[in-house]
Amino acid sequence: MIRVGIIGATGYAGGELVRLLLGHKEAEIKWYGSRSYVDRKYAEVYQNMFQMVDDRCLDDNMEEMAEQVDVIFTATPQGLCASLVNENILNKVKLIDLSADFRIKSVDVYEKWYNIRHKAPQYIEEAVYGLCEVNRDEIKKARLIANPGCYPTCSFLSVYPLVKEGLIDPNTIIIDAKSGTSGAGRGAKVDNLFCEVNENIKAYGVAGHRHTPEIEEQLSYAAGKPVVISFTPHLVPMQRGILVTAYASLEKEATYEEVKAVYDKYYDKEHFIRVLDKDTCPQTKWVEGSNFVDVNFKLDPRTGRIIMMGAMDNLVKGAAGQAVQNMNLMFGLDEAEGLQIAPMFP
Amino acid sequence: MIRVGIIGATGYAGGELVRLLLGHKEAEIKWYGSRSYVDRKYAEVYQNMFQMVDDRCLDDNMEEMAEQVDVIFTATPQGLCASLVNENILNKVKLIDLSADFRIKSVDVYEKWYNIRHKAPQYIEEAVYGLCEVNRDEIKKARLIANPGCYPTCSFLSVYPLVKEGLIDPNTIIIDAKSGTSGAGRGAKVDNLFCEVNENIKAYGVAGHRHTPEIEEQLSYAAGKPVVISFTPHLVPMQRGILVTAYASLEKEATYEEVKAVYDKYYDKEHFIRVLDKDTCPQTKWVEGSNFVDVNFKLDPRTGRIIMMGAMDNLVKGAAGQAVQNMNLMFGLDEAEGLQIAPMFP
Amino acid sequence: MIRVGIIGATGYAGGELVRLLLGHKEAEIKWYGSRSYVDRKYAEVYQNMFQMVDDRCLDDNMEEMAEQVDVIFTATPQGLCASLVNENILNKVKLIDLSADFRIKSVDVYEKWYNIRHKAPQYIEEAVYGLCEVNRDEIKKARLIANPGCYPTCSFLSVYPLVKEGLIDPNTIIIDAKSGTSGAGRGAKVDNLFCEVNENIKAYGVAGHRHTPEIEEQLSYAAGKPVVISFTPHLVPMQRGILVTAYASLEKEATYEEVKAVYDKYYDKEHFIRVLDKDTCPQTKWVEGSNFVDVNFKLDPRTGRIIMMGAMDNLVKGAAGQAVQNMNLMFGLDEAEGLQIAPMFP
Amino acid sequence: MIRVGIIGATGYAGGELVRLLLGHKEAEIKWYGSRSYVDRKYAEVYQNMFQMVDDRCLDDNMEEMAEQVDVIFTATPQGLCASLVNENILNKVKLIDLSADFRIKSVDVYEKWYNIRHKAPQYIEEAVYGLCEVNRDEIKKARLIANPGCYPTCSFLSVYPLVKEGLIDPNTIIIDAKSGTSGAGRGAKVDNLFCEVNENIKAYGVAGHRHTPEIEEQLSYAAGKPVVISFTPHLVPMQRGILVTAYASLEKEATYEEVKAVYDKYYDKEHFIRVLDKDTCPQTKWVEGSNFVDVNFKLDPRTGRIIMMGAMDNLVKGAAGQAVQNMNLMFGLDEAEGLQIAPMFP
């Protein structure tokens, strides 16, 4: 039984880790870390866990936690994981960081976009970007995983095969993304009140959202050259779900079958990536609660562009689900253990 | 492996049966019956099941189905199950009817409230009302289960211990219930369009809703005398969930501890009924996607009344989940098999 | 032109006052008071008012405001209005308080239910309860109006004629009310985040909500004797709207026509109260954005009870709209000026 | 008093026409046309109009209607207006068609994208495209107005000044649009049920939506050359509102001030188009219920692109509001009469 510690267990991503790990046959949560709710019963904070979780919340002492568990998830704001990690900890436990601290290889880029000084740059190189379908082998050997951001996961997976195979010009990529509100976290902010979010849609972080360099870095590896893109996130009146609509110019004419074959080449054997049937558009509702990413595309001969789409649950494949998938890989378990959840509809 | 057939597999309750049974270790769906979608791939109708269900929809031939499966669920409009069932079928398979056909022991009452002629009154007596926590032993031996209605399940379980123990006057019970829209089914009706339901709440079926006699019959058994109640359902702009707020006059003064002890007497060992902590009100969100019913109560010394509350997912404990729980009991399996699902939040 | 000052102009009720007064032909807002946003442009806080309101927010100095305006609305938390009002101010301006400070005639009851010491008990007697359809004549002569609470307005108007005429036993009244989230205000609280409110319904303040004594006091006046009721509010995932479902025992048998005649006696000439056609249930959506209260009822001969229903926009007739209606009465204007707004659908 | 007839008065756009015209000082609805509800009271179909509209629905006999009214609005599916219009009618009344029948000058393009044969091609040339801010003078003289589509209005107005002034390369324009569900109409379709739309977002009509050629035609006029764009609409779980996020490559570097000056040049005097302050993103909620279009932009020097945004209420400026604005122009009234409505928030 893998012993698990969670720092940030009372945020939305932390709560989702708890939900998923309760259904995991080989893991057991030993430490519910929550600075804001220390000593409160976890099931008082998340009443859905009443009679399922009896533990109380503990603080976020990573040193002590490392003595008691085999793997630590940090589901916390940027900067916290980097401020706590050290060699002693990494020698004792696996560390899966759901924040952005170790996702970007360039300290300068990180510090510029996040406007924060990196406290542990010495671990950036070692950290493995935990996009399971792309970096599976490195993940298996890693001590420290940078769990990908929600937008980057859905954005990258929607366009990756075509970038990798050179079918599209990567510098023409425009990603228009739409997210449910749980992505904004459980903090008490006027902007996230029901009355402000409901019956509303807006763009935010236009031309400056922090997930942009993360997406660009991964696309650059795929393309084998620097890639600069446009990325615009939007807030949608729903709880869960990210939809990505991505546009790019084709390098040359291509048929549906040719493009489909490229997607299949990369995703056909991937359990959690579903390339939908022709002309079926991904919808967030069809993946809700699951670890699936649904992708598809449409050629537009009129403009010479291709429209690529992806849908995903931001709290599962975009956060806690992918983190568990990484844990499974790191501990040599079945990659899908604890994640064999059918999407819930409606 | 229990072989399962579903008639009405493409309605919301049918879809929920599929979701739950896919996670059931000892059951396998062999027949996806759907008159409207015969020959269509099930996963085209419910895209969430893409790559999880490969079967095509079949018709609702109960005779033929009975040759191929061990248990049949009918998740269909009133009247259909009664029109198909016969001795031959009941000799071959277990039958769990999610419609109201066999819930009410009096044919007259059924025909009056449902305005339909009962096609198989000879099976009403035999049918067991599948409220697992109350009729567990009879369910285990039954051939034919009348799976309880969504409102009746939540209403009855919220007040049952107090009626049974005589703490409240059952004829003062007023049940004000609120349901999400999935309870209205997947039919294409203007009233259930997003633009009509969203930002709206309304009562309907006031003083005449068909679930009234079902609740009254069960309460009468508990009280040992005829019970007449007020029941008002409301439509709420959410997908899933039923909340019941029930009012009744206490037979005599009672303390919190006394009432709590009565709830605990009946529910303490029940896995799927959670009596919440003092002063915690049930919320539909805390049970979403799960088979739990959360109940609690509040004494009001000013009025001599008690307010009893219950929250439940109408598609799970209110339909498909309870149906699976019944199946587990009928086949001697662990009652919670396939239903050990943590509620999803948010 | 009536000069208007608003204290609390950036709350939801304050924002609604601004929306309504912008369409009022004889009023002009001179002072947008908002302690939290002093010096900020009002239209930055409420971007809907961009290019419609150029003013900046001011503080809540009631003394100074009284020099510059003819009427002051206080749309603030309990206690503030009572702490600011004095004879000097009341001699200069009309004061319409949207908080509960002057709604309840008994200081003891107020202090017990609100858990706050009343700072200006000397004005309680003088204050007129601003339920326009009931106290119209007193309102016209008042200096100080206690604008009714949202739940009390809808609750009281739904049952008033039957209590007044003695058709129902007032002490059997049970009011089950459901409100949109704007009633909870614009404060940044986790409980009111989109992800907590959406797909959820819950009761709150069970057997102890502060609007209970307000409703009871008004019912007592109507009944001519003390009335004690059950009142349970619920939070519904919508922005606006209150629905009241009220239950009571009939004093004696009555026909639809008899009851209808009683409603008509009181409401037939009331512009803002619509007694719906037989069997049509009030829905919050049909009154959204307007000052209407839709009421109707259903007799239940089985139980000897009557179910009374009312729907209203909590921010309009339940707050800002009724406040403007009061202002119109106080200044001798057409009672409906600025309030002739058709409900918006969908 | 202008006498008005509406064909399709019980659809969502028709209902919005009624709401707006009830507040119009110089117009009076004489004919509520609704094929589906002939002889039913209008206020039974739209209960919000109870006691405000006493009329019954009539059929859609345009010939007879032309005898009784001064202006006819057709808020009907494509093809109906073209099948009814003739010289006799146009000689008697003004006609404002909210369908697409007369929006596209090329019959071939219309018939190809709409897959319908045009029944009155002889009036296409005469019809004026009723985008008030662009074609004001022609509208004043027109007999027949093609009221613009919802997406085209918001899309075009978001990018128009930059195309007109040559700041962007029009063939690089990519429009990613998001709409509330009322745009899909009031027809009873499974896809538009609450349970299908809620908690969901999806693209539809990808690379083939019918509004594409309408947008392209108008952009071509502005650019003075043929323009081909990418346009992708999405369905969002809200009732009202369209948000447009448009991307294009700048023809050359430009500062914020330069681009702002271009927007101001075209929109500064336009009452219904609000160019927001720097860095303020349009949100649909800030315009709900009003005739405003909020636009803004963001330069992205990293990519050489500009992101242009627009938000609008699809039923007002995107349909009924713009139709009334057109009527005002045609009859020489104040262009804003009946449309001076503050957006409702929340």
Side-chain angles (χ1 to χ4, degrees):
Chain A
M1 215 59 167
I2 300 166
R3 298 165 303 163
V4 175
I6 302 172
I7 298 184
T10 55
Y12 288 141
E16 192 71 354
L17 276 169
V18 173
R19 178 176 82 95
L20 295 174
L21 291 170
L22 285 181
H24 194 290
K25 289 198 208 79
E26 322 227 14
E28 195 178 2
I29 305 173
K30 289 291 186 188
W31 189 299
Y32 293 81
S34 171
R35 205 184 285 195
S36 327
Y37 293 99
V38 172
D39 285 338
R40 289 266 311 268
K41 290 197 77 169
Y42 186 78
E44 276 174 31
V45 183
Y46 281 119
Q47 189 77 21
N48 55 330
M49 294 305 169
F50 187 66
Q51 296 182 354
M52 301 190 78
V53 175
D54 280 332
D55 301 62
R56 289 182 182 274
C57 295
L58 302 171
D59 62 22
D60 51 10
N61 185 329
M62 200 186 266
E63 291 280 359
E64 197 180 319
M65 197 184 292
E67 302 291 332
Q68 302 182 24
V69 303
D70 303 305
V71 59
I72 294 173
F73 294 92
T74 49
T76 50
Q78 324 308 334
L80 186 75
C81 183
S83 75
L84 295 176
V85 67
N86 60 42
E87 196 60 23
N88 182 38
I89 288 168
L90 286 177
N91 283 337
K92 288 184 183 148
V93 298
K94 307 275 190 188
L95 183 52
I96 300 174
D97 178 26
L98 278 74
S99 86
D101 286 359
F102 298 99
R103 292 179 193 155
I104 293 173
K105 290 298 174 199
S106 158
V107 184
D108 287 350
V109 170
Y110 174 87
E111 296 190 341
K112 181 181 147 213
W113 286 78
Y114 283 88
N115 199 24
I116 199 178
R117 203 170 65 76
H118 203 295
K119 298 274 185 53
Q122 68 274 26
Y123 294 114
I124 295 179
E125 191 50 39
E126 174 186 351
V128 174
Y129 189 73
L131 197 53
C132 310
E133 287 77 9
V134 177
N135 300 324
R136 188 169 280 125
D137 292 338
E138 292 83 348
I139 291 165
K140 290 179 181 173
K141 297 172 293 190
R143 295 194 299 176
L144 171 58
I145 293 289
N147 206 59
C150 52
Y151 285 125
T153 297
C154 197
S155 300
F156 182 77
L157 292 173
S158 297
V159 306
Y160 168 57
L162 304 194
V163 171
K164 184 80 179 174
E165 296 287 314
L167 266 74
I168 55 176
D169 174 357
N171 286 300
T172 64
I173 294 175
I174 288 172
I175 295 173
D176 192 284
K178 299 92 178 167
S179 174
T181 308
S182 58
R186 213 188 183 205
K189 294 181 191 160
V190 168
D191 278 358
N192 297 332
L193 292 177
F194 183 85
C195 286
E196 312 281 320
V197 171
N198 193 40
E199 277 292 298
N200 197 19
I201 179 168
K202 65 175 176 186
Y204 64 100
V206 181
H209 191 276
R210 294 164 167 192
H211 282 165
T212 312
E214 183 180 338
I215 301 169
E216 289 179 343
E217 180 174 329
Q218 298 303 319
L219 286 177
S220 299
Y221 299 144
K225 63 178 180 187
V227 173
V228 177
I229 63 158
S230 290
F231 170 68
T232 312
H234 297 75
L235 192 67
V236 179
M238 54 187 199
Q239 302 162 185
R240 288 169 178 250
I242 281 183
L243 185 76
V244 156
T245 315
Y247 304 83
S249 296
L250 290 164
E251 286 288 5
K252 55 173 188 175
E253 268 187 46
T255 64
Y256 169 79
E257 287 71 23
E258 287 164 350
V259 178
K260 179 65 158 56
V262 170
Y263 272 102
D264 285 343
K265 174 178 171 187
Y266 287 85
Y267 294 151
D268 205 24
K269 295 194 181 123
E270 290 299 341
H271 181 70
F272 292 120
I273 306 183
R274 306 191 296 191
V275 184
L276 301 182
D277 288 339
K278 197 180 180 195
D279 291 330
T280 301
C281 289
Q283 305 187 21
T284 58
K285 207 172 183 65
W286 296 128
V287 295
E288 189 158 338
S290 82
N291 201 47
F292 289 124
V293 186
D294 283 1
V295 298
N296 212 346
F297 65 91
K298 183 84 183 179
L299 290 162
D300 185 5
R302 296 173 63 255
T303 60
R305 296 193 191 105
I306 183 168
I307 298 100
M308 298 151 286
M309 294 165 279
M312 173 192 91
D313 187 320
N314 58 306
L315 290 180
V316 190
K317 183 63 177 174
Q322 185 146 259
V324 170
Q325 196 180 350
N326 277 310
M327 181 190 81
N328 289 340
L329 287 170
M330 295 167 97
F331 286 87
L333 307 174
D334 175 358
E335 188 172 336
E337 172 53 35
L339 300 170
Q340 297 278 26
I341 300 168
M344 191 164 83
F345 181 92
Chain B
M1 215 59 167
I2 300 165
R3 298 165 304 164
V4 175
I6 301 172
I7 298 183
T10 54
Y12 289 141
E16 193 70 354
L17 276 169
V18 173
R19 177 176 82 95
L20 296 174
L21 291 170
L22 284 182
H24 195 290
K25 289 198 207 78
E26 321 227 15
E28 196 177 2
I29 305 173
K30 289 293 187 186
W31 189 299
Y32 293 81
S34 172
R35 205 184 285 195
S36 326
Y37 294 99
V38 173
D39 284 339
R40 289 270 307 269
K41 292 197 77 170
Y42 187 78
E44 276 175 32
V45 183
Y46 280 120
Q47 190 77 20
N48 54 330
M49 294 305 170
F50 186 66
Q51 296 182 354
M52 301 190 79
V53 175
D54 279 334
D55 301 62
R56 289 180 183 276
C57 294
L58 302 172
D59 61 23
D60 52 10
N61 185 331
M62 200 186 267
E63 291 280 359
E64 196 180 319
M65 195 185 292
E67 302 290 333
Q68 302 183 23
V69 303
D70 304 303
V71 59
I72 294 173
F73 295 93
T74 49
T76 49
Q78 326 306 337
L80 186 72
C81 183
S83 75
L84 296 176
V85 66
N86 60 42
E87 197 60 24
N88 183 39
I89 288 169
L90 285 177
N91 282 337
K92 288 184 182 148
V93 297
K94 307 274 191 188
L95 182 53
I96 300 174
D97 177 25
L98 279 74
S99 86
D101 286 359
F102 298 99
R103 293 180 194 156
I104 292 172
K105 290 299 175 199
S106 158
V107 183
D108 287 351
V109 171
Y110 174 88
E111 296 190 340
K112 182 181 146 211
W113 286 79
Y114 283 88
N115 200 23
I116 198 177
R117 203 169 66 76
H118 202 296
K119 299 275 186 52
Q122 68 274 25
Y123 294 113
I124 294 179
E125 192 49 41
E126 172 185 353
V128 174
Y129 189 72
L131 196 53
C132 309
E133 287 76 10
V134 177
N135 300 325
R136 188 169 279 125
D137 292 339
E138 293 82 347
I139 292 165
K140 289 179 181 173
K141 298 173 290 190
R143 295 194 300 177
L144 170 58
I145 293 288
N147 206 60
C150 51
Y151 285 125
T153 296
C154 196
S155 299
F156 182 77
L157 292 173
S158 298
V159 305
Y160 167 57
L162 304 193
V163 171
K164 184 81 180 172
E165 297 287 315
L167 267 73
I168 55 177
D169 174 355
N171 285 301
T172 64
I173 294 176
I174 289 172
I175 294 172
D176 192 284
K178 299 92 178 167
S179 175
T181 309
S182 58
R186 212 188 185 205
K189 293 180 191 161
V190 168
D191 278 357
N192 297 332
L193 292 178
F194 182 85
C195 285
E196 313 281 319
V197 171
N198 193 42
E199 278 291 296
N200 197 19
I201 179 167
K202 65 174 176 187
Y204 64 101
V206 181
H209 191 275
R210 294 166 168 190
H211 282 166
T212 310
E214 183 181 338
I215 301 170
E216 290 178 342
E217 180 174 330
Q218 297 303 318
L219 286 176
S220 300
Y221 299 145
K225 62 179 180 187
V227 173
V228 177
I229 62 159
S230 290
F231 170 68
T232 313
H234 297 76
L235 192 67
V236 179
M238 54 187 198
Q239 300 161 187
R240 288 170 178 248
I242 280 183
L243 184 75
V244 157
T245 314
Y247 305 83
S249 297
L250 290 164
E251 285 288 5
K252 56 172 187 175
E253 270 188 45
T255 64
Y256 169 79
E257 287 71 22
E258 288 164 350
V259 179
K260 177 67 157 58
V262 170
Y263 273 102
D264 284 343
K265 174 177 171 187
Y266 287 84
Y267 296 151
D268 205 26
K269 296 195 181 123
E270 290 299 342
H271 181 70
F272 292 122
I273 306 185
R274 307 191 295 191
V275 184
L276 300 183
D277 289 338
K278 197 181 179 195
D279 291 330
T280 302
C281 289
Q283 305 187 20
T284 58
K285 207 173 183 65
W286 295 129
V287 295
E288 188 157 341
S290 82
N291 201 45
F292 290 123
V293 186
D294 283 2
V295 298
N296 212 346
F297 65 91
K298 183 86 183 176
L299 289 162
D300 185 6
R302 297 173 64 253
T303 60
R305 296 193 190 106
I306 184 169
I307 298 100
M308 298 150 286
M309 295 164 279
M312 176 192 87
D313 186 319
N314 60 305
L315 290 180
V316 190
K317 183 63 177 174
Q322 185 147 259
V324 170
Q325 195 180 349
N326 276 310
M327 179 191 82
N328 289 339
L329 287 170
M330 296 167 96
F331 285 87
L333 307 175
D334 174 359
E335 188 173 335
E337 172 53 35
L339 300 170
Q340 296 278 26
I341 299 169
M344 191 165 83
F345 181 92
Chain C
M1 214 59 167
I2 300 165
R3 297 164 304 163
V4 175
I6 302 172
I7 297 183
T10 54
Y12 288 142
E16 193 70 353
L17 276 169
V18 173
R19 178 175 82 95
L20 295 174
L21 291 170
L22 285 181
H24 194 290
K25 289 199 207 77
E26 321 226 16
E28 194 178 2
I29 305 173
K30 289 293 186 187
W31 189 299
Y32 293 81
S34 172
R35 205 183 287 194
S36 327
Y37 294 99
V38 173
D39 284 340
R40 290 267 311 266
K41 291 197 76 170
Y42 186 79
E44 275 174 31
V45 183
Y46 280 119
Q47 189 77 20
N48 54 330
M49 294 306 169
F50 187 65
Q51 295 183 354
M52 301 190 79
V53 175
D54 279 334
D55 300 62
R56 290 180 181 275
C57 294
L58 301 172
D59 61 23
D60 51 11
N61 186 329
M62 200 185 268
E63 290 280 359
E64 196 180 319
M65 196 185 292
E67 303 291 334
Q68 302 182 23
V69 303
D70 305 304
V71 59
I72 294 174
F73 294 93
T74 48
T76 50
Q78 325 306 336
L80 186 74
C81 184
S83 75
L84 296 176
V85 68
N86 60 43
E87 197 59 25
N88 182 38
I89 287 168
L90 285 177
N91 283 337
K92 289 186 182 145
V93 298
K94 307 274 190 189
L95 183 53
I96 301 174
D97 178 26
L98 278 75
S99 86
D101 285 359
F102 298 99
R103 293 179 194 157
I104 293 172
K105 289 298 175 201
S106 157
V107 183
D108 287 350
V109 170
Y110 174 87
E111 295 191 341
K112 182 181 145 209
W113 285 79
Y114 283 89
N115 200 23
I116 198 177
R117 203 168 66 74
H118 202 295
K119 299 271 185 54
Q122 69 274 25
Y123 293 114
I124 294 179
E125 192 48 41
E126 173 184 351
V128 174
Y129 189 72
L131 197 54
C132 309
E133 286 77 9
V134 176
N135 300 324
R136 187 169 282 125
D137 292 337
E138 293 82 348
I139 291 165
K140 289 179 182 173
K141 299 173 290 189
R143 294 194 301 176
L144 171 57
I145 293 288
N147 206 60
C150 52
Y151 285 125
T153 297
C154 197
S155 299
F156 182 77
L157 292 174
S158 298
V159 305
Y160 167 57
L162 304 194
V163 172
K164 184 80 178 173
E165 296 287 315
L167 267 73
I168 55 178
D169 174 355
N171 285 300
T172 64
I173 294 176
I174 288 172
I175 295 173
D176 192 284
K178 299 92 177 167
S179 175
T181 309
S182 58
R186 213 190 184 204
K189 294 180 190 160
V190 168
D191 278 358
N192 297 332
L193 292 177
F194 182 86
C195 286
E196 312 282 319
V197 171
N198 192 42
E199 277 292 297
N200 197 20
I201 179 167
K202 64 174 176 188
Y204 64 100
V206 181
H209 192 275
R210 294 165 168 192
H211 282 166
T212 311
E214 183 180 338
I215 301 169
E216 288 178 344
E217 181 174 329
Q218 297 303 318
L219 286 177
S220 300
Y221 299 144
K225 62 178 181 187
V227 173
V228 177
I229 62 158
S230 290
F231 170 68
T232 312
H234 298 75
L235 191 68
V236 179
M238 55 187 197
Q239 302 162 185
R240 289 169 177 250
I242 281 183
L243 184 76
V244 157
T245 314
Y247 304 83
S249 296
L250 289 164
E251 286 289 4
K252 55 172 188 176
E253 268 187 47
T255 64
Y256 169 80
E257 288 71 22
E258 288 165 349
V259 179
K260 179 64 158 57
V262 171
Y263 273 102
D264 285 344
K265 174 178 171 186
Y266 287 84
Y267 295 151
D268 206 24
K269 295 194 182 126
E270 291 299 342
H271 182 70
F272 292 121
I273 306 184
R274 307 190 296 190
V275 184
L276 300 183
D277 288 339
K278 196 179 180 196
D279 290 331
T280 302
C281 290
Q283 305 188 21
T284 58
K285 207 173 183 66
W286 295 129
V287 294
E288 188 157 342
S290 82
N291 201 47
F292 289 122
V293 185
D294 283 2
V295 298
N296 212 346
F297 65 92
K298 183 84 184 178
L299 289 161
D300 184 7
R302 297 174 63 253
T303 61
R305 297 192 190 105
I306 184 169
I307 297 101
M308 298 150 286
M309 294 165 279
M312 176 192 88
D313 187 319
N314 59 306
L315 291 181
V316 189
K317 184 63 177 173
Q322 186 147 256
V324 170
Q325 195 179 350
N326 277 309
M327 181 191 79
N328 290 339
L329 286 171
M330 295 167 96
F331 287 87
L333 308 175
D334 175 359
E335 187 172 336
E337 172 53 35
L339 300 170
Q340 296 278 27
I341 299 168
M344 191 165 83
F345 181 93
Chain D
M1 216 58 169
I2 300 164
R3 297 165 304 164
V4 175
I6 302 172
I7 298 184
T10 54
Y12 288 140
E16 192 71 353
L17 276 168
V18 173
R19 178 176 81 95
L20 296 174
L21 290 170
L22 285 181
H24 194 290
K25 289 198 209 78
E26 321 226 16
E28 196 177 3
I29 305 173
K30 290 292 187 187
W31 189 299
Y32 293 81
S34 171
R35 203 183 289 195
S36 326
Y37 294 99
V38 173
D39 284 338
R40 289 268 309 267
K41 291 197 76 170
Y42 187 77
E44 275 175 31
V45 183
Y46 281 118
Q47 190 77 19
N48 54 330
M49 294 306 169
F50 186 65
Q51 295 184 354
M52 301 189 78
V53 175
D54 279 334
D55 301 62
R56 289 181 182 275
C57 295
L58 301 172
D59 62 23
D60 51 11
N61 185 331
M62 200 185 267
E63 291 279 0
E64 197 180 318
M65 196 184 293
E67 302 290 333
Q68 303 182 23
V69 303
D70 304 304
V71 59
I72 294 174
F73 294 93
T74 48
T76 49
Q78 326 306 336
L80 186 74
C81 183
S83 76
L84 296 176
V85 66
N86 60 43
E87 197 60 24
N88 183 38
I89 288 169
L90 285 178
N91 282 338
K92 289 185 183 149
V93 298
K94 307 274 190 188
L95 183 52
I96 300 174
D97 177 27
L98 279 74
S99 87
D101 286 0
F102 298 99
R103 293 180 194 155
I104 292 172
K105 289 299 174 200
S106 157
V107 184
D108 287 351
V109 170
Y110 174 88
E111 296 190 339
K112 181 181 148 210
W113 286 79
Y114 283 88
N115 199 24
I116 199 178
R117 204 169 65 76
H118 202 295
K119 297 274 186 52
Q122 68 274 25
Y123 294 113
I124 294 180
E125 192 50 40
E126 173 186 351
V128 174
Y129 189 73
L131 196 55
C132 310
E133 287 77 10
V134 176
N135 300 324
R136 188 168 280 126
D137 292 338
E138 293 82 347
I139 292 165
K140 289 179 182 174
K141 298 172 292 190
R143 295 194 300 177
L144 172 57
I145 293 288
N147 206 59
C150 52
Y151 286 125
T153 297
C154 197
S155 300
F156 181 77
L157 291 174
S158 298
V159 305
Y160 167 57
L162 304 194
V163 171
K164 184 80 179 173
E165 295 288 315
L167 266 74
I168 54 177
D169 175 355
N171 285 301
T172 64
I173 293 176
I174 288 172
I175 294 172
D176 192 284
K178 298 91 177 168
S179 175
T181 309
S182 58
R186 212 187 183 206
K189 293 180 191 162
V190 168
D191 279 357
N192 297 331
L193 292 177
F194 182 86
C195 286
E196 313 281 319
V197 171
N198 192 42
E199 277 292 297
N200 197 20
I201 179 168
K202 65 175 176 186
Y204 64 100
V206 181
H209 191 276
R210 294 163 169 193
H211 282 166
T212 311
E214 183 180 338
I215 301 170
E216 289 178 344
E217 180 175 329
Q218 297 303 318
L219 286 177
S220 300
Y221 299 145
K225 63 180 180 185
V227 172
V228 177
I229 62 158
S230 290
F231 169 69
T232 313
H234 298 76
L235 192 67
V236 178
M238 55 188 198
Q239 300 162 186
R240 287 169 178 251
I242 282 183
L243 184 76
V244 157
T245 313
Y247 304 83
S249 297
L250 290 164
E251 285 288 5
K252 56 172 186 175
E253 269 187 46
T255 65
Y256 169 79
E257 288 71 22
E258 287 165 349
V259 178
K260 179 65 159 57
V262 170
Y263 272 101
D264 285 343
K265 174 177 171 186
Y266 287 85
Y267 295 150
D268 206 24
K269 295 192 183 126
E270 290 299 341
H271 181 70
F272 292 121
I273 307 184
R274 307 191 294 190
V275 184
L276 300 182
D277 289 338
K278 196 179 180 198
D279 291 331
T280 302
C281 289
Q283 304 188 20
T284 58
K285 207 172 184 66
W286 296 129
V287 295
E288 188 156 340
S290 82
N291 202 45
F292 289 124
V293 186
D294 283 1
V295 298
N296 212 346
F297 65 92
K298 183 86 183 178
L299 290 161
D300 185 6
R302 297 172 63 255
T303 61
R305 295 191 191 106
I306 184 168
I307 297 99
M308 297 151 286
M309 294 164 279
M312 175 192 89
D313 186 320
N314 59 306
L315 290 181
V316 190
K317 183 64 177 173
Q322 185 147 257
V324 170
Q325 196 180 349
N326 276 310
M327 181 191 81
N328 289 340
L329 287 170
M330 294 167 97
F331 285 88
L333 307 175
D334 175 359
E335 188 173 336
E337 172 52 35
L339 300 170
Q340 296 279 25
I341 300 168
M344 191 165 83
F345 181 92

